[in-house]
């Protein structure tokens, strides 16, 4: 009889992002001569669940079914942690890749979590608020045994927000019979959400600008920043950059972008977005496309929208001297090679956007311990963790004569390997 080993089952996870995550991992595993037994264990998630989610449309006549996923990559160091995305192309492989990235991200900044990710394959813009609520509650009910404050703690990601987290928290609490705020992070503050969680990813990203600029000999005063995406990450990155004295010269959302060499009025753009749910019709700059934004004349490019936007086809057009990844997986491996060869400093997602999960960790700690930290305590701790992680990754990069992504992964993978070795194989 043929044995069906995990190595033979790799096709379960087949997706472009998973192949990229795996190639990255394999390259670093080889570089650090990682124990092959440990490496084999880290290539695939420890747990994955696929559920179907029936929901009634608002007209009451039609019941539709959606696919939902939750993947827990490494359960070795504590509960798992990671967002839930609602997007039309979500699949098991993509969620697995994102869960793996969460493992490295948490380990790089030193949080006591393994990585997880969840998703529902749906275009959230096609759902009414009531439909979103029904989908969210049924998805939560389907995965209720797999999540919890000591098991796996979801958070927002693309297409989900504080309200979705509130419905997850409520559904979970109804099922377990008591109110449990610590089951999710990124909740509204009235339910135990942390102050400054909403802004955390953008702020964390921008907190690394001085260190990155110094590496390229640039002054931060008036440094020109182009931000792709105006969701939760992009809008607060733009705001934090402008408040820190940078000039935000370009912004964009799914409807396209705007360029203004004198600097975009970010507050006006946020106001427009809040009123129209889109940047379309914003009058604060010249119209450009999302493709133009990647090649925009600027010092720092911040892709804060979705995965795979800087590719082998357009990496050559990047004029920025620094790319800071607010999104998860925005640069393909091929593009990464091109950017590195051009001398562009790439601050990788697993380091650059770790501010979100870091403040999620603070939220979880506050919920579990019933602490109430102030905004300045949270922002101070966030800055400290982010800059320490950047410094450590930078010195590893110097030591290994490599780029920041490789150095960050060396740090993350080594930490997880150490934990796995210390626990051993059960039984
Ligand atoms: N979805 C965010 C990320 O990719 C945040 C995850 C969290 O806060 O747990 O990092």
């Amino acid at each position: 009889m043929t044995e069906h080993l995990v190595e033979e089952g790799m096709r379960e996870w087949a997706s472009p992002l998973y192949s990229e995550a795996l190639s990255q991992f394999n390259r670093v595993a080889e570089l650090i001569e990682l124990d092959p037994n440990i490496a084999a264990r880290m290539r695939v998630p420890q747990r994955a669940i696929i559920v179907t989610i029936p929901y009634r449309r608002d007209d009451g006549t039609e019941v539709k079914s959606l696919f939902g996923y939750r993947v827990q990559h490494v359960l070795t160091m504590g509960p798992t942690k990671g967002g839930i995305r609602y997007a039309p192309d979500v699949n098991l492989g993509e969620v697995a890749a994102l869960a793996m990235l969460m493992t490295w991200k948490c380990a790089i900044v030193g949080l006591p979590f393994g990585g997880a990710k969840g998703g529902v394959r749906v275009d959230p813009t096609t759902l009414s608020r009531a439909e979103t609520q029904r989908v969210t509650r049924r998805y939560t009910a389907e995965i209720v045994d797999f999540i919890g404050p000591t098991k796996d703690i979801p958070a927002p990601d693309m297409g989900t927000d504080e309200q979705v987290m509130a419905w997850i928290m409520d559904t979970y609490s109804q099922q377990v019979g008591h109110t449990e705020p610590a089951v999710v992070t990124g909740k509204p503050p009235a339910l135990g959400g942390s102050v400054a969680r909403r802004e955390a990813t953008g702020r964390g990203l921008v907190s690394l600008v001085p260190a990155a600029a110094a590496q390229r000999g640039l002054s931060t005063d008036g440094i020109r920043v182009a931000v792709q995406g105006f969701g939760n990450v992009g809008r607060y990155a733009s705001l934090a950059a402008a408040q820190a004295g940078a000039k935000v010269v370009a912004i964009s959302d799914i409807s396209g972008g705007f360029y203004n060499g004198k600097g975009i009025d970010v507050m006006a753009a946020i106001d427009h977005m809040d009123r129209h749910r889109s940047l379309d019709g914003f009058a604060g700059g010249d119209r450009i496309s999302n493709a133009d934004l990647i090649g925009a004349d600027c010092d720092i490019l911040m892709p804060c929208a979705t995965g795979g936007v800087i590719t082998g086809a357009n990496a050559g057009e990047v004029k920025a001297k620094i790319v800071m990844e607010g999104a998860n997986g925005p640069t393909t491996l091929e593009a990464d090679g091109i950017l590195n060869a051009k001398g562009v400093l790439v601050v990788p997602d697993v380091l650059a956007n770790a501010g979100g999960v870091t403040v999620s960790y603070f939220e979880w700690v506050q919920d579990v311990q019933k602490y109430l930290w102030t905004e300045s305590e949270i922002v101070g701790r966030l800055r400290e963790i982010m800059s320490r992680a950047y410094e450590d990754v930078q010195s590893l990069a110097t030591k290994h004569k490599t780029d920041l992504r490789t150095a960050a992964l060396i740090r993350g993978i080594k930490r997880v390997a150490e934990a796995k070795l210390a626990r051993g194989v059960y039984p």
Side-chain angles (χ1 to χ4, degrees):
M1 212 176 90
T2 322
E3 266 188 286
H4 287 283
L5 301 174
V6 159
E7 287 80 356
E8 294 162 11
M10 293 304 264
R11 64 181 170 277
E12 310 279 358
W13 320 99
S15 85
L17 194 60
Y18 192 72
S19 314
E20 296 251 322
L22 211 54
S23 313
Q24 255 178 26
F25 172 78
N26 288 340
R27 196 170 48 81
V28 175
E30 201 174 308
L31 202 73
I32 60 175
E33 294 172 6
L34 186 63
D35 177 330
N37 291 312
I38 302 245
R41 195 80 188 112
M42 287 182 182
R43 280 191 191 102
V44 283
Q46 281 185 237
R47 277 189 198 152
I49 168 166
I50 306 180
V51 298
T52 48
I53 304 161
Y55 76 102
R56 206 176 290 281
R57 298 292 321 221
D58 281 343
D59 68 9
T61 60
E62 200 185 1
V63 176
K64 290 241 181 212
S65 262
L66 301 172
F67 284 111
Y69 309 89
R70 186 73 187 168
V71 176
Q72 300 166 353
H73 176 240
V74 163
L75 287 83
T76 311
M77 295 90 64
T80 48
K81 186 88 195 78
I84 290 173
R85 59 171 54 179
Y86 289 177
D89 49 359
V90 162
N91 57 65
L92 181 65
E94 180 185 288
V95 176
L98 292 165
M100 188 189 276
L101 288 181
M102 282 307 301
T103 298
W104 314 143
K105 196 186 297 188
C106 292
I108 288 161
V109 287
L111 307 179
F113 299 131
K117 204 76 170 197
V120 176
R121 192 188 301 163
V122 67
D123 177 354
T125 62
T126 63
L127 298 178
S128 71
R129 183 183 155 91
E131 288 167 347
T132 307
Q133 177 168 179
R134 289 198 286 278
V135 167
T136 301
R137 287 186 181 281
R138 183 60 187 256
Y139 169 65
T140 309
E142 293 294 338
I143 62 167
V144 75
D145 290 336
F146 295 87
I147 58 172
T150 56
K151 289 185 189 171
D152 178 17
I153 307 130
D157 198 79
M158 266 168 57
T160 59
D161 58 13
E162 290 179 8
Q163 181 58 71
V164 170
M165 295 308 116
W167 289 325
I168 295 177
M169 179 267 200
D170 182 65
T171 308
Y172 181 86
S173 299
Q174 299 293 348
Q175 303 255 339
V176 298
H178 62 269
T179 294
E180 188 47 272
V183 64
V184 286
T185 57
K187 300 176 289 293
L191 295 180
S194 178
V195 288
R197 169 63 186 90
R198 196 185 298 167
E199 302 88 348
T201 312
R203 278 188 182 165
L205 184 71
V206 170
S207 75
L208 300 181
V209 166
Q215 253 188 282
R216 281 294 174 270
L218 297 169
S219 151
T220 51
D221 202 24
I223 196 162
R224 295 166 313 143
V225 180
V227 183
Q228 187 194 39
F230 215 64
N232 187 52
V233 182
R235 70 155 69 183
Y236 291 113
S238 304
L239 192 60
Q243 284 168 347
K247 199 190 279 180
V248 179
V249 292
I251 56 171
S252 73
D253 74 352
I254 200 151
S255 71
F258 296 89
Y259 190 91
N260 185 340
K262 295 199 193 76
I264 283 171
D265 179 346
V266 176
M267 276 317 291
I270 290 177
D271 187 52
H272 185 94
M273 187 75 176
D274 284 343
R275 277 186 291 122
H276 305 281
R277 294 180 75 187
S278 161
L279 283 176
D280 199 21
F282 177 61
D286 300 327
R287 206 87 175 88
I288 55 168
S289 67
N290 262 301
D292 297 335
L293 189 134
I294 299 291
D297 192 15
C298 65
D299 301 307
I300 306 185
L301 173 63
M302 295 182 175
C304 297
T306 183
V309 293
I310 308 180
T311 63
N314 65 8
E317 291 159 25
V318 171
K319 293 194 189 67
K321 293 157 202 84
I322 301 169
V323 171
M324 300 181 76
E325 299 182 336
N328 289 315
T331 311
T332 65
L333 275 182
E334 189 188 356
D336 209 31
I338 297 172
L339 294 177
N340 281 328
K342 273 172 48 139
V344 177
L345 178 69
V346 181
V347 187
D349 48 7
V350 283
L351 173 64
N353 71 30
V357 71
T358 301
V359 177
S360 273
Y361 162 66
F362 298 158
E363 182 170 326
W364 176 75
V365 169
Q366 290 177 87
D367 288 339
V368 170
Q369 303 285 341
K370 312 298 174 218
Y371 287 145
L372 270 181
W373 293 347
T374 62
E375 179 159 358
S376 65
E377 280 175 293
I378 290 166
V379 174
R381 287 189 172 115
L382 170 66
R383 283 180 176 276
E384 201 185 303
I385 288 185
M386 292 297 288
S387 29
R388 198 176 342 116
Y390 191 94
E391 267 171 40
D392 291 350
V393 168
Q394 196 186 336
S395 44
L396 254 186
T398 311
K399 184 174 148 204
H400 288 270
K401 296 190 178 49
T402 185
D403 54 283
L404 292 180
R405 190 184 313 275
T406 307
L409 290 171
I410 291 177
R411 180 178 159 97
I413 292 168
K414 273 193 170 170
R415 279 200 166 165
V416 180
E418 205 181 315
K420 283 206 171 286
L421 260 181
R423 277 186 70 163
V425 180
Y426 175 84

